[in-house]
Amino acid sequence: MDLLNTLVDKGLRRELPTREEALAVLATSDDDLLDVVAAAGKVRRHWFGRRVKLNYLVNLKSGLCPEDCSYCSQRLGSKADILKYTWLKPDEASQAAAAGLAGGAKRVCLVASGRGPTDRDVDRVSQTIKAIKEQNEDVEVCACLGLLSDGQAERLREAGADAYNHNLNTSEGTYGDITTTHTYADRVDTVQKAHAAGLSACSGLIAGMGETDEDLVDVVFSLRELDPDSVPVNFLIPFEGTPLAKEWNLTPQRCLRILAMVRFVCPDVEVRIAGGREVHLRTMQPLALHLANSIFLGDYLTSEGQAGKADLEMIADAGFEVEGADEVTLPEHRAAAVAGGCGSHAEAGCGSHEGAGCGSHEGGGVCGTAAAVATAAEPRTDLVAVRRRGAGTDLAPNA
C-alpha cells in the first residue's frame, strides 16, 4: 500500500505526515489492519527496538476532585464507587512504588486528584520523591498533579522529579465539551511550564469519547507541536456514575489504528498504552506492543488492570523484552536534549487528573459528533473493575 510505504519512510526520517495521511490510517479497513500494524511496527522498532518500558502508578490522593471533567471517575459530582482518600504519607507512597519497581517498572508516576497543587502540596510531593529515590536512586519519577503555577515545576525538578504529565485529552475545538472548570489553553500552559523547567514532558490523549477522526488527528498533531517525550494513549473506561458511562465506541481494531496513527505522527517518542487497554484491546494487546513501546504495569488510578505477572508474560510471549533500568528509553537525539536540561525540544520530535492521569485516565468527555467507525461489540462492563487494592488500602498492590 503506497500510503503505508510513505508513512514508514517519513517515520524513519522523523518527518511529519500530512493530516490527510493521518486520517487515512484511521480510515483503513479491518482487512488492511495487519499491514498497518506491520508498517507502524517498522517505525517503532527503528527507534525503540523490541524494548517495552514499564511504568507504575501510585495514586497519592484519590477522588473528591473539584474539576468537572466528564471522563473522570474522580470528577465533581461523580457517583462512581471508587476509593476516596487524602494524601498518602511519603513512606506509604514509597512502599507502594516499591511494589511496582520489584515487578520491573523503571518509572513511577505519582498522581493526585485536584485542579492543581498548592505550594504545600508541592512540598509534600517533593518529600515523597526524595523518599522514593533514597530507596531506588535510578528510578524515574514522573509527577502528575494538575495545573501548575509559576515556579512549581522548577521546585519539583529540584526535588528530583524527572518528568511531568499533563494530558491534552482531546482537540482544542471540542475541549469545552469536556469540562467547564478549566480550558485547553490551561493544559497547554502546564506542559510548557514543565518543558521550561527542564522536566521531560509527558502528554497524551483519551480515545473513545465519541470523537471524530478529525478530533483525534487534531490532538495528536497538537501533541507533536508541543513535543513531549512520551505520549500516553488512553482508551475511555466508561465508569458507571460518570456522564460517559454508556460510551462504548471502541473495537480492538480501532484501538490499533489509533495507536498506529500516533506512532506515525510521533515516530521517535515514547508511545505508551495507558488506561483502558484491558477493556478495549483485550486479547489484541500483544499486537499493540508492535506500535507502542511503553505500558503501565498492574493497576491504574481507580480501576484494576490485568495482573502484573500476566503483563510480563504477554511481553515475553510476543517476542519483546522489558527495558532495563540501565537502558535509555529515548533515541539518542531526544535523550541528549533531555540531559541538556532543555526539556525535550528535539528537531522534529513529536491534568487535572484522571484529570492529570499520568496517562491513566479512566473516564471520558463528550468530544463532538462521532465519526462513522466500526460498530463496537456489546459493552464489556464486566471488564471495568474498580480498584480495591494497593495505595489507600490495606491490601497488597497488583504489580
Side-chain angles (χ1 to χ4, degrees), residues 33 40 106 130 149 152 166 171 211 227 264 267 272 396:
L33 181 62
K106 65 180 291 184
K130 290 173 182 174
S149 301
Q152 291 183 328
H166 201 62
S171 66
E211 68 277 346
D227 193 27
F264 286 131
R272 184 181 310 149

Side-chain angles (χ1 to χ4, degrees), residues 4-5 7-8 34-44 264 291:
L4 296 179
N5 291 334
L7 288 170
V8 170
L34 289 181
D35 293 331
V36 173
V37 172
K42 290 180 182 178
V43 179
R44 179 252 201 266
F264 286 131
L291 307 169

